[in-house]
Amino acid sequence: MSVSVRRIYEPPEPDDGLRVLVDRLWPRGLAKEAAHVDEWPKGLTPSTGLRQWYHAGEGSYDEFRRRYEAELDAPEAAELLDGLRKSAREGHVTLLTASKNPDGSHAHVLAELLGG
């Protein structure tokens, strides 16, 4: 499987493959045409409550990861995750996030779950 994580504010690269925005909210100050997003599966993003809890600094990354993985077990999210796994088996998938620290974000959790 071929999966990578990049900030959406970085310019697209020819080897990005399928570009998937994995944030619930559209990134500030970025025109949709400039983002070159192929898919935006909002059902794969952390819930608003979980996102706000984590960004408020109320818990550790490990606890965030545990809660997020539990959310990904829900039927809609699990189906979307399976679809991304299929895409990653067929070609490269780039998960896009506006997070300033992609390695400490939900995008990194998704990449690991996808085998990236």
Side-chain angles (χ1 to χ4, degrees):
M1 290 192 189
S2 180
V3 179
S4 60
V5 176
R6 298 185 62 212
R7 291 198 71 223
I8 193 161
Y9 297 109
E10 297 172 9
E13 295 289 335
D15 61 348
D16 279 349
L18 182 70
R19 291 173 52 89
V20 181
L21 177 61
V22 293
D23 290 347
R24 185 168 298 267
L25 305 174
W26 188 261
R28 287 186 194 167
L30 185 65
K32 290 187 179 183
E33 301 80 34
H36 302 279
V37 170
D38 297 310
E39 294 182 12
W40 187 12
K42 293 180 187 176
L44 271 180
T45 63
S47 66
T48 300
L50 179 57
R51 185 174 43 82
Q52 290 173 343
W53 171 84
Y54 184 54
H55 291 298
E58 296 178 20
S60 69
Y61 178 74
D62 290 335
E63 178 63 16
F64 166 77
R65 180 187 184 103
R66 187 188 66 70
R67 292 181 184 194
Y68 180 44
E69 286 178 358
E71 289 185 355
L72 291 173
D73 286 337
E76 178 191 2
E79 185 177 330
L80 290 168
L81 192 58
D82 286 342
L84 268 185
R85 277 191 187 104
K86 181 181 178 194
S87 295
R89 282 191 299 268
E90 295 171 354
H92 191 77
V93 173
T94 300
L95 304 178
L96 303 167
T97 181
S99 174
K100 292 179 183 177
N101 178 17
D103 289 340
S105 75
H106 66 289
H108 183 71
V109 174
L110 281 175
E112 287 185 347
L113 292 174
L114 293 170

